[in-house]
Amino acid sequence: QQQVKQSPQSLIVQKGGISIINCAYENTAFDYFPWYQQFPGKGPALLIAIRPDVSEKKEGRFTISFNKSAKQFSLHIMDSQPGDSATYFCAASDDRGSTLGRLYFGRGTQLTVWP
Amino acid sequence: NAGVTQTPKFQVLKTGQSMTLQCAQDMNHEYMSWYRQDPGMGLRLIHYSVGAGITDQGEVPNGYNVSRSTTEDFPLRLLSAAPSQTSVYFCASSYSADSNYGYTFGSGTRLTVV
């Protein structure tokens, strides 16, 4: 059973455009929602994260929007650049429950930004 | 400060062989974990450890063993390699098991089982 569902699988955006990646979850115990960025041949790296007590978090060109009632969250990349071309993973975990230590990942979105 | 070091970077095994994937971190992180990454499947948790001497199973633990005798090292053992274990394996660590601190990933081990 997939804990976190991510879409789209791939995304092509022109330079300067907005990239949007969506994720959905079912487990209402999840209380931490990070996004990781992975370049080819490298391990994933933490990009930005949010907790459900806020609806939006912004760091530079990257914004997480969180909808607790819909159990959905999304990553927005403003002014997308060719250097943003990478695979993006959303994830979720429950820090206070029996699954402490388990971070569940979506299947990833391969973003390509054309110059 | 090397971060998370994984060895080897590449490995080819024959079906039935055993091997150990090494993972070491020099950040004094309590939490360590192993993931496998397969095309279109994302990252799936194999085993994790919240501290030395403590390990637990993740989503896909079958065919793998782990132990954590020191804070620094968290090796992953493949007992009898199968083609289904062909994957890229990532080790990750964090200051603690809760999510106040992000994970630091190694650069991965690409394993092929023939």
Side-chain angles (χ1 to χ4, degrees), chain A residues 1 3 9 32 36 38 41-46 51 87 89 93 95 98-108, chain B residues 31 33 35 37 40-43 45 48 50 56-59 90 97-108:
Chain A
Q1 180 186 359
Q3 298 279 349
Q9 189 173 358
Y32 176 71
Y36 280 78
Q38 183 182 31
K42 304 292 186 182
L46 179 65
R51 291 197 180 270
T87 300
F89 294 96
S93 67
D95 278 352
S98 62
T99 56
L100 175 66
R102 295 189 179 202
L103 185 62
Y104 298 97
F105 284 86
R107 294 188 174 182
Chain B
Y31 176 86
S33 56
Y35 285 85
Q37 183 175 19
M41 296 298 292
L43 293 139
L45 181 63
Y48 62 101
V50 298
D56 205 348
Q57 297 182 351
E59 301 171 80
F90 288 99
D98 65 38
S99 301
N100 289 321
Y101 309 89
Y103 288 13
T104 299
F105 280 83
S107 57

Side-chain angles (χ1 to χ4, degrees), chain B residues 11-96:
Chain B
Q11 183 70 48
V12 179
L13 284 180
K14 293 182 179 180
T15 298
Q17 286 185 317
S18 62
M19 79 159 294
T20 299
L21 279 62
Q22 302 291 343
C23 176
Q25 51 88 12
D26 61 358
M27 299 172 284
N28 201 31
H29 283 175
E30 287 295 320
Y31 176 86
M32 297 185 75
S33 56
W34 278 100
Y35 285 85
R36 59 176 289 173
Q37 183 175 19
D38 303 292
M41 296 298 292
L43 293 139
R44 292 181 292 171
L45 181 63
I46 304 171
H47 286 284
Y48 62 101
S49 169
V50 298
I54 306 169
T55 63
D56 205 348
Q57 297 182 351
E59 301 171 80
V60 289
N62 292 340
Y64 308 95
N65 272 358
V66 292
S67 60
R68 183 98 179 269
S69 57
T70 68
T71 298
E72 295 78 17
D73 300 297
F74 191 44
L76 178 71
R77 298 182 187 85
L78 278 69
L79 309 173
S80 177
S84 62
Q85 293 179 305
T86 294
S87 187
V88 181
Y89 291 85
F90 288 99
C91 178
S93 74
S94 180
Y95 184 75
S96 68

Side-chain angles (χ1 to χ4, degrees), chain A residues 23-88:
Chain A
C23 286
Y25 64 97
E26 287 297 324
N27 188 346
T28 55
F30 286 152
D31 57 5
Y32 176 71
F33 303 89
W35 285 87
Y36 280 78
Q37 180 188 55
Q38 183 182 31
F39 293 105
K42 304 292 186 182
L46 179 65
L47 185 64
I48 187 172
I50 197 169
R51 291 197 180 270
D53 53 342
V54 297
S55 60
E56 185 175 282
K57 182 174 182 180
K58 183 177 181 179
E59 290 184 2
R61 296 183 295 108
F62 300 90
T63 300
I64 299 179
S65 296
F66 186 81
N67 186 329
K68 188 174 181 179
S69 60
K71 293 182 285 187
Q72 296 175 346
F73 59 109
S74 60
L75 177 70
H76 296 238
I77 306 175
M78 310 301 289
D79 188 25
S80 298
Q81 298 297 312
D84 298 329
S85 296
T87 300
Y88 292 81

